[in-house]
Structure formats: C-alpha cells, structure tokens
Amino acid sequence: MTRTAITRLGLTDFRSYDRAEIALDGRPVYLVGPNGAGKTNLLEAVSFLIPGRGLRAASLAEVGLRAPGEPLGRAWAVSATLSSGEEETHLGTGVDQPGASRRLVRLEGEPVPPGRLAELVRQVWLTPAQDRLFLEGAAERRKFFDRLVFADAPIHAAHVGAYEKAMRERLKLLTDGPPDTAWLDALEARMAEAGALMALSRARTLSALQAEIDSRGERPFPQAKLSLSGAWEQMAAEDASPDQIGEALVRALAVARDRDAAAGRSLTGPHRGDLAVIHLEKDRPAAECSTGEQKALILNLVLAQAARLARSSGPAPILLLDEVAAHLDARRRVALFDEIEAVGLQAFLTGTDAHLFEGLEGRAQGLAVEGSGISGRG
C-alpha cells in the first residue's frame, strides 16, 4: 500500500467559499459545525480531486459560488497537495469561466486529462443521500455499487459512459424512426462490448468484496451477504468471457428492439441490474432492517472496500463520511474510528456535535466550520 493523504486543500469560489486554505497533517480529519456551515461543501471539494461529478453528482455550473444577482455560478477552483510516501504532488481542478461545461485539470501546473486524477487519488464515500439506499429504486443501488467498482477499477466509469451513450442513441433511433438496421447493429455492438466489461467489473468487485466481508469476522458492524441480479452479471460470475457475454447481449438487444421501441426505454442490459444485501445474522433483506442496521450495513460495505483497496497496489483510498457518526451508537462509532486508524487511511468525517468525535481526540485533526470559516480545534 502507498499511503495517500491530502496535506493542503485550497478552494476558490467553490460553493459557499470565496477563499479557503486548509493545512492538513495527513491524519483523519473531523469537521464540526452547525447545519449549513459548509462542512459537506469541503467534502465535495475533496471529491472533485478524482474524475466525475463529485459526491453530490452536481453539474460544474452548480458548484461555483453565486452571489445574489449573479445568473451563473462563478469560475471555481479546487487545489491540493497530495502526499504519497515521500513524494508530494500538486494538483488542481475547476472551470475557467461561469457556466463552463468542461472541467480543467492541472498536475504540477501542467494541463492533463481529467482521467489522470484516477492514477493519483482513489476515494470511497458515504453521504446522507444514501441512507435510503435499500428503500429506493435499483438505480441508486447501481450507482452506489458502481462507485465502489470505480474506486477499484477506474476504467469502469469509461465503460459505463460508453454503454449509456450508445444506449441513448439506440433508443432515439428506435423511438424516432425509421430504424436503420445497420446503425442499430453498430450501436448494439458498442453496447454489448461495453456492457460485457461492466458486468465483469461488477462481478469481480462483488466477489472480492464478499470475501473481504467474510474474512473480517465478528465486528460491531453486521455481516452481509451480497448478490447482483441481472443475467449479464450472473454470466460474469460464472466465468463467462467478455466475448460470450457480448454475443449474448447483442442477440438479446436485437430481439428486444420492438419491445423497447414500444416501451420508450431499454428493458434489456446491465443497466437493469440490482444489488441485493442480506443481513446475515438475521437472514433478512436490508430493506426490512431498522434504519440503524441499514446504515451499519452500508458502512460495512464501504469500510470493507476501503480496507481491501488499502492492501492493493496503487494509492490507498481516502474516505469521505458525511454525517455518518450521528447515526451510530457509541460502540459502533468507536469501532469506526478504530478501523480507520488501523487501516491507516485518511478520512474526512462531518458532524454537528463535537461529542460524536470524542473517540478521535488525539488521533485525528479536528476543524471547526462555521459561516464557511475554518479553524482548528486544537
């Protein structure tokens, strides 16, 4: 493992911050302050240090500071110094004009493609929006699981993007007509190629994650049994090759053309899969468990993935845990803090009450956030 930690974070016109410069010592960080103070905004800034749209899935225009009367969010920037072993790396990202649709990235002052960030930083996060993960539709669970896959295999995001782009074009062709058979064949071939790789990445991550959970033994967080629904993920789990999955998917898409055209949506493919989680001790689906148990199950998945990635090659992941401690009892809070420290990860945690982080005193860096101002807690 190469331990990765942020030692400096800078924000310019980002969300509620016009300017902020934070020196960090590499330990876990807990942010304390009232609701609306800007704690989650800081976590979101950190989340823009990897490719994608950040932990809120916001558009680039949304995150720019916007004063009363300003029609668009301002141009914004997030910069950081990243420590990895004995090396320091300086990186920055943002947009250079209000309303820009393309994110710029600089590494040591030189422009680079956003994908380069995935080589330097890996992140796993949990936010209050995921509290209802097991009660919402399958799309939210896919998005959550794909984020875990992406932390392990960044190329997964490109496969998902290619699949969804081809799927949109195919559906438009089917619904607007007249259907061009040759073009449909080409689009379905693209979907099949990317979809097969998506299914394989998901199946591999699920298998590795289940093995990690099983190996962790008795812990304050409930053990879980994971599975993925969907014919394509099942084929991948049964060691089908990418070509075998792709060929089966091409055939299924061709057969489904009339049905998809009538429905106005694509009814076949890995975009329809779902993540199922069973509370092992109670032998009950997560959706039937209490709110606290559901939160603990989700957190266990996140911690297991973080621990697994910390032992793999590449940078150790950074954990972003927004308002997690408030939903845990004292025993599980201490267990969470102990695990973060034992694995050796830098984590960013937020909460409204300082007493939630008493178990971190002396082994983490505390920051008070209020009115988008930041100060140390000693």
Side-chain angles (χ1 to χ4, degrees), residues 248-297:
L249 185 50
V250 160
R251 291 193 297 269
L253 289 168
V255 170
R257 287 176 185 176
D258 290 342
R259 186 183 61 172
D260 290 353
R265 56 198 177 102
S266 300
L267 299 173
T268 300
H271 65 286
R272 303 279 294 175
D274 196 0
L275 171 69
V277 178
I278 301 292
H279 189 302
L280 200 57
E281 182 180 352
K282 295 190 172 184
D283 193 24
R284 295 175 63 186
E288 297 178 8
C289 297
S290 70
T291 302
E293 287 171 334
Q294 290 182 31
K295 188 77 173 187
L297 281 165

Side-chain angles (χ1 to χ4, degrees), residues 5 37 54 201 237-238 290:
S201 293
E238 293 166 2
S290 70

